[in-house]
Amino acid sequence: MFCFSERSRARPAQGLPSVLCESDRFLHGLLHSWRRAKTQSGLCSASLLFEAASTSVFQRTLRTVYIGHKEPPPGAEAYILQRYPDNRIVSSKYTLWNFIPKNLFEQFRRIANFYFLLIFLVQLIIDTPTSPVTSGLPLFFVITVTAIKQGYEDWLRHKADCSINECPVDVIQQGAVVRTESHKLRVGDIVMVREDDTFPCDLILLSSSRDDGTCYVTTASLDGESSHKTYYAVPDTMAFVTEQEVDSLHATIECEQPQPDLYKFVGRINIYKEQEEPIARPLGAENLLLRGATLKNTEHIYGVAIYTGMDTKMALNYQSKSQKRSAVEKSMNAFLIVYLCMLIGKALINTVLKYSWQWSSDHDEPWYNQRTEIDRERHVVIRAFTDFLAFMVLFNYIIPVSMYVTVEMQKFLGSYFIAWDTDMYDEDLGQGAQVNTSDLNEELGQVEYVFTDKTGTLTENCMEFIECCVDGHIYIPHAICNGQILSADHEDLFFRALCLCHTVQVKEEETVDGIKMGLHQGKPTSFYISSSPDEVALVEGMKRYLLWLNFLCVSFRFELLHVLNFDSVRRRMSVIVRSSAGENLLFCKGADSSILPRVVSGKVEQVRARVEQNAVEGLRTLCVAYRSLSPADYEEACHRLSAAKLALQDRDQRLMQAYDFIERDFTLLGATAVEDRLQEKAADTIESLHKAGMKVWVLTGDKMETAVATCYASKLFRRSTQILELTKKRTEEQSLHEVLFDLSRTVLRERSVLGLSVDCQDYGLIIDGATLSAVLKPGPESSGSGNYREIFLEICRNCSAVLCCRMAPLQKAQIVKLIKASKEHPITLAIGDGANDVSMILEAHVGIGIMGKEGRQAARNSDYAIPKFKHLKKMLLVHGHFYYIRIAELVQYFFYKNVCFIFPQFLYQFYCGFSQQPLYDTAYLTLYNISFTSLPILIYSLIEKHVSVETLKRDPSLYRDVAKNSLLCWPVFLYWTCLGLFDACIFFFGAYFLFDNTTFTSNGQMFGNWTFGTLIFTVLVFTVTLKLALDTHLWTWINHFVIWGSLLFYVIFSLLWGGIIWPFLNYQRMYYVFMQMLSSGPAWLGIILLITLSLLPDVVKKVLCRTMCPTATERAQVGPLPDRI
Amino acid sequence: MMASSYNAKEEDGHVAVPVGGTIKNKKPDNTAFKQQRLPAWQPILTAGTVLPAFFVIGLIFIPIGIGLYVTSNNIREFEIDYTGTDIDDPCFNCSQSFSWNNTRPCTCALDFSLDHPFESNVFMYYGLSNFYQNHRRYVKSRDDSQLNGDINSLKNPSKECEPYARNEKAPIAPCGAIANSMFNDTLDLYYVHPNGTRIQIPLSKKDIAWWTDKHVKFRNPGNNPNLTAAFQGTSKPINWRRPVYELDTDEENNGFINEDFIVWMRTAALPTFRKLYRIIQKKNNMTPTLPRGNYTLEVSYNYPVRSFEGRKRVILSTISWMGGKNPFLGIAYITVGSVCFFLGVVLLIIHHKYGSRNNSADIPN
């Protein structure tokens, strides 16, 4: 037996170079012959043609880097001069010079801004009813605010760029280290990087201070994985350890053009030596040090820059995700179109009426009101068009310029509440929720489908080794060993396999941020680090187990020859080792589905039974198998592997084929079981989501039995749930067609019997990846079987929970897409923690990442990132709900208040001869939206809580009240618009009858049109603000401050505006108008009456609705539900 | 790294830099604001809270409405149309023979009688109908700086005044359509004593314009007491018979600060409007300002309205604290008050019915 204290010597990291050595020798020969053929090809015209073709392809798809800018020796290779950008990182969008034009251009590309610009320009050109200031100032304000925000962000980026570009870098020039600035680096420079420094550009590792030519790197800033990864130098350059030596290196690197994939790199290094044939070595991602990663545990390394500046993989990854738009935004745009139509309609009606009214010249030009000569000479069509534009200008405020700013501010500021929430803070991680985009806040309140990953999301992804099973014998660590003797050959091999077949590293001394695996065994701190927690659990379990069994410390040495990496498609990994006895062995571990079909001998049935039993208990199982390789087999394997590794094109595909070829004819050794505990409160969260009317789908790559067990544990399936299976097993018995129809019949029959009460029986569907792809496969054109998709969707719609197991990452995205595209267009949410969830996170309407153990890729690509699955509950039920009602009110209220604002102007046109006379003064027109009524709604939309957080959490069904965009549906929109129109009529006609041919001052003096407008405006401002006050359920001091404050501000402003003869104005029409109005008793009475009257219908509607058919939310507001007491 | 379950297709070009909102490794502050736990008042509009409000509103509004209605009804108002559209109308001739070039004003007299005495101060208005003082072209056709006594604007009227800015190169003072169309009928009121003598009723033209207008907004140009000199070089508005500095003999009521002018310059809100013309001050407490009896209104008919089918009226009205006769406010108050009261009752019934039903429905839960 072997001992774990010896493990560090046998670890794969040190064994790997030999793998490379081995394969490289092979490779060398291969390349050599190819190159020779190439140099001789000049003689043969056919090969010449071939070469010409291939070089042109190379130039397009490859770049050649001359290390140290040394040209290759003549004859070896043509010197192809390529120009690359320098190492300057430019993340900023603007420079000082182009900021104003570029920013303005960007801003006016937005349709709304462009519309307002157009209105402003029209105002400048035509004889407008309202001064250009009225639309110019708000537009200017909006543009300035946005520009300042963007400018500030860009300034920050500039500063960051600067500090990055100017950070010092050591470059080898003429055999000496020269310190220069980062942005001066060029492709081909040899760079020295010291420990804990970040790499200044993408480098190919030439040599390191470690003798084995490896170095450790953490890519935490790139993908969030804080584990140390090993990178390898090319063996031929590994020996260059001093500056002089490195500088003497004469080589070129051919590699692909930069591409953003962090984990993919294909290249080749050609090393020229005097009097020797050039040596070619393959380069892969394990040789490429990425900009942004940090060197660890290694004193220094030398590397050659191959991608610089904006070509680096980090920079290429800066590009932003495709924009997701929320449902609210879509309804907002729909409303805007309605209002635009209303606007054009109003302008048209008025223009037509104006010209029919003006038919008689008495109306058009009475003696007291003549046109100017110029005006009179204009053609009537031009005049009509100008009039139309003038009406547009007069009514344009109905589309509020400030709405976009307010919505954006609401989203931006509102998202801070998510980040600030201590309930979503995780002590262990030291992180709270993270908001990557604030555009989707309200979408959190609209989710209908939740797609969740299992491992790491529902479960902890904190693995614990539970048991292993060798040939049907079960070994449990810490359990009393009932005389089990570990002597069988298979057992020996089994434990060897587990100890060797992994990629775990031993980490000493240092503490690692992310994964801490304490190993307290003499040495106080040393950890196993791996990007896969299963492996750590296995290795640790092995260690505990074997220690407990108290084996003698016998050390075995294995030479690691090849590692056949894990990938999620193959679902297994293998190692090829050579034992001290010289025997070549291939150990493989992986999912049972991928191992068992390749097994030719071993106690398959026993192991399978145990695996299945474990899976039912919710354990993660892995099967372990081995294959003894004869020297011939080994040669064959080596050949295939190196051929694939050397390939410049389709390397992955070729590797896959090679792996497929090698990993076969296994002898089954046994299986392991690792427990992945459920996350804290996962069941509670799922239950709440169900109660909130969401359908929860679990999409996992795990096997069905494990997944089902987890689903039961997490209450996704309850005991009462009727499980429908749509799995490969079933489709093997019946045809897919029949199964599908069977299931849909079951589901539909139930529903038709029970009528609308769907809740009575809930169904759970289980589908596996293979069946899913069969369902989704576009069927043959023949009718009947063609539309499985629809039937499948129909079944899914009637299931409260769906479990999809054995899913490939892309299938997860497919499922999300399928549901997204179904005819109700439900809002989907995807939550996951691993790289395999990224595609579905990006696909779903809302993507939530869990800051889990499998790196930060999911968190980075998500819209929101939360530390734990349980936080989803608060995120959706509380934050989502709040944000939705807030923004819904914001949108509706904005339209409402602008209808109230503009409709009286429209009515006034009927009384002023359709002359586009504005009802309100310029200052009021300008400030209405940007100062009199803007703050209360903004504050409301930030802090409104119509029910308490506790109630929302306690009663998830309240979420149903806001589902399906219910506060922004057309009837509600119509109600608000009608309310606006009603209020506008009250304002206008109230004032009209008050003014009708009489006086209402006690001194008999008369008021003019500006007093008329001011009276309406006063009523308007008060009504609109008080309407919001009525809607406010949460009156904090801030609400009091802004609501009463803006009313006070209006009064003070009006007093001031009318109190002085303003020297810069060319009219003084508002002079003392407001004060005179306030000096009249009936004006006060009128204002009070009109305000009361306008608010009355809304209050009555609210009270009636609440009394006659209260929603769940309204019941919850009054008090806790009776059955909850 | 090797075992990272990574699928190449997922990553391409989809990596973004997190923007904003992140505070790394830092626990968010546990403040009331950040945790959305600010102390707050949480009112809810339920039938229970709204009901009393409705009754209170009803109880307040109805008395106010009744008060307003009674006040409005107590106001004496008398209106007489003197446009002269009918052949029988005294002013028919004047309205027919109107021409701007008439140097001699056409006068006509209308007889009327008041059935009730007007006890307090009586306000005499002229009213115009179908006159669009609120037409945009009209409203803006003025120059407030000129009216405020700005010398520059006096000589160079704003282009808003076009086409009433200049008369043959000479700047018009006051410029603009509003000034140009100033109402220029003269109205005199006579009491026909039962014994047949006509007593002219003294009409006061003080305080018919806003105090602020007369004293701040409108000012004669320069500090020259001699208005003729101050308006040197300007032309009178085309339709005026006299230049602006001859509007009145009283220095305090001449030029731009002539109250009739100021009243006219305040453009009316609606096409049918009235403007204060004169005030008949109450002499003493013993006699009514206008006792019942017969009166004669003498009009010097200068202002044409027939061309645009307008009407001219004279209104005599007393004023209460709430202004002139306008039953609207009172009726509206009564209506709204009653509606509130009625709604209160309806809500009470509904509340009673549904409240108990809800309660009973909730119990089995």
Side-chain angles (χ1 to χ4, degrees), chain A residues 127-129 229 232 261 263 317-319 357 362 364 367-372 417 419-422 425 427 429-431 434-436 503 531 565-566 809-810 835-836 842 857 860-861 879 886 908 911-913 915-917 945 990 992-994 997-1012 1033-1036 1038 1067-1069 1071-1073 1076 1082 1085-1086 1088-1089 1092-1093 1096 1099-1100 1102-1104 1106-1108 1115 1117 1122-1123, chain B residues 1-15 17-22 24-28 33-36 38-47 50 54 61 68 100 123 125 131-132 134-140 144 162-164 177 181 207-210 212 216-217 239 266-271 273-276 303-304 307-308 313 319-326 328-329 332-333 336 340 343 347 350-351 354 358 362 365:
Chain A
D127 167 38
T128 60
K229 293 170 187 162
Y232 306 95
D261 191 332
Y263 304 96
N317 275 311
Y318 270 136
Q319 53 194 234
W357 185 78
D362 294 347
D364 186 20
W367 63 265
Y368 57 85
N369 192 10
Q370 301 280 318
R371 289 175 189 281
T372 56
F417 284 118
W420 279 337
D421 195 336
T422 44
Y425 177 81
E427 294 287 348
L429 270 173
Q431 269 197 343
Q434 187 179 317
V435 181
N436 293 334
T503 53
S531 37
N565 282 339
F566 178 85
L810 276 173
N836 57 343
L842 289 174
Q857 278 189 41
R860 234 160 19 106
N861 286 290
H879 287 294
R886 287 170 186 169
Y908 192 53
Y911 297 90
C912 70
S915 59
Q916 302 119 23
Q917 171 61 24
K945 285 196 290 187
Y992 176 83
F993 286 118
L994 210 57
N997 201 19
T998 184
T999 177
F1000 54 97
T1001 52
S1002 51
N1003 58 11
Q1005 291 167 359
M1006 295 302 296
F1007 289 149
N1009 64 323
W1010 298 113
T1011 314
F1012 183 68
H1033 292 101
L1034 187 88
W1035 283 85
T1036 65
I1038 307 174
Y1067 56 85
Q1068 306 295 341
R1069 54 201 183 198
Y1071 186 65
Y1072 257 72
V1073 161
Q1076 285 283 350
L1085 286 174
I1088 292 168
L1089 175 84
T1092 316
L1093 191 56
L1096 201 60
V1099 173
V1100 171
K1102 273 195 182 126
V1103 173
L1104 280 183
R1106 181 179 284 279
T1107 320
M1108 318 253 288
R1115 281 166 197 257
Q1117 281 170 345
D1123 57 339
Chain B
M1 184 217 158
M2 307 214 167
S4 69
S5 46
Y6 174 74
N7 188 318
K9 283 197 176 166
E10 300 152 22
E11 191 71 346
D12 293 0
H14 284 306
V15 186
V17 201
V19 192
T22 51
K24 275 204 169 172
N25 293 327
K26 205 177 150 204
K27 186 160 180 167
F33 173 68
K34 289 190 175 180
Q35 300 309 318
Q36 308 193 56
L38 283 175
W41 171 54
Q42 293 169 300
I44 294 164
L45 282 182
T46 59
V50 168
F54 274 16
F61 273 27
L68 284 169
W100 287 110
F123 294 77
Y125 297 90
F131 189 101
Y132 284 85
N134 56 6
H135 195 281
R136 180 160 72 90
R137 210 174 335 128
Y138 187 82
V139 169
K140 67 174 186 177
D144 277 338
E162 292 289 348
Y164 304 99
S181 59
D207 292 335
I208 55 172
W210 293 11
T212 47
V216 186
K217 193 172 163 183
N239 290 352
R266 182 155 295 280
T267 47
L270 300 165
F273 60 89
R274 59 168 82 168
K275 286 187 182 286
L276 188 53
Y303 204 72
S307 64
F308 51 87
R313 292 158 298 146
I319 292 285
S320 71
W321 64 271
M322 58 155 285
K325 194 180 187 80
N326 188 1
F328 164 73
L329 205 53
Y333 259 94
V336 173
C340 276
L343 282 173
L347 280 179
I350 289 173
H351 178 58
Y354 278 86
N358 282 349
D362 282 342
N365 288 347

Side-chain angles (χ1 to χ4, degrees), chain A residues 499-759:
Chain A
C499 293
L500 292 171
C501 183
H502 57 75
T503 53
V504 176
Q505 293 168 26
V506 176
K507 168 84 182 140
E508 281 150 31
E509 306 147 55
E510 227 177 308
T511 47
V512 193
D513 308 330
I515 306 153
K516 290 181 186 171
M517 297 291 164
L519 179 67
H520 305 287
Q521 175 227 337
K523 292 174 202 162
T525 47
S526 69
F527 310 107
Y528 294 133
I529 306 162
S530 168
S531 37
S532 154
D534 294 63
E535 294 198 325
V536 176
L538 279 178
V539 171
E540 261 185 37
M542 275 301 106
K543 193 198 81 206
R544 268 204 321 261
Y545 185 49
L546 296 173
L547 272 183
W548 182 78
L549 285 176
N550 236 340
F551 285 114
L552 283 170
C553 246
V554 183
S555 119
F556 285 86
R557 297 201 65 150
F558 287 89
E559 190 185 354
L560 182 58
L561 299 171
H562 286 283
V563 174
L564 281 62
N565 282 339
F566 178 85
D567 66 65
S568 49
V569 179
R570 240 165 77 244
R571 304 175 58 83
R572 60 180 180 265
M573 73 161 288
S574 312
V575 288
I576 302 177
V577 294
R578 180 176 292 153
S579 71
S580 39
E583 192 186 0
N584 288 329
L585 290 170
L586 180 125
F587 290 116
C588 181
K589 76 173 197 292
D592 54 337
S593 63
S594 61
I595 298 272
L596 292 180
R598 295 166 178 274
V599 166
V600 289
S601 64
K603 296 183 177 167
V604 179
E605 282 318 306
Q606 286 99 317
V607 174
R608 192 199 293 274
R610 188 66 200 165
V611 163
E612 267 164 25
Q613 192 191 332
N614 282 339
V616 168
E617 283 167 25
L619 302 176
R620 289 163 74 93
T621 55
L622 282 177
C623 285
V624 181
Y626 87 105
R627 177 186 172 202
S628 184
L629 295 170
S630 68
D633 285 342
Y634 177 67
E635 276 307 311
E636 170 76 13
C638 274
H639 175 77
R640 281 179 181 261
L641 280 178
S642 43
K645 273 187 184 162
L646 196 68
L648 285 176
Q649 260 104 34
D650 300 330
R651 184 182 281 185
D652 290 328
Q653 210 181 324
R654 292 227 208 150
L655 268 176
M656 213 56 78
Q657 286 164 358
Y659 289 161
D660 207 44
F661 173 77
I662 298 163
E663 292 168 334
R664 66 195 161 90
D665 300 339
F666 289 137
T667 307
L668 187 67
L669 290 169
T672 59
V674 170
E675 188 185 20
D676 188 4
R677 261 176 296 143
L678 267 192
Q679 278 214 357
E680 199 187 341
K681 289 187 183 161
D684 170 57
T685 308
I686 290 206
E687 218 178 351
S688 305
L689 297 185
H690 264 175
K691 276 190 192 151
M694 283 176 248
K695 294 189 171 163
V696 183
W697 290 38
V698 174
L699 311 181
T700 177
D702 228 331
K703 53 202 283 23
M704 186 182 133
E705 290 77 10
T706 321
V708 169
T710 313
C711 286
Y712 273 112
S714 59
K715 302 229 175 100
L716 184 72
F717 295 154
R718 276 172 292 248
R719 294 294 148 201
S720 61
T721 310
Q722 189 182 339
I723 303 288
L724 311 171
E725 267 187 51
L726 191 57
T727 52
K728 211 174 155 196
K729 219 192 283 174
R730 232 188 124 177
T731 46
E732 273 164 6
E733 294 160 16
Q734 287 171 286
S735 75
L736 177 66
H737 186 83
E738 281 169 43
V739 176
L740 272 175
F741 275 92
D742 234 29
L743 292 180
S744 71
R745 254 201 307 279
T746 323
V747 172
L748 291 176
R749 189 194 323 124
E750 192 72 33
R751 201 176 61 168
S752 61
V753 167
L754 291 167
L756 287 169
S757 53
V758 188
D759 286 338

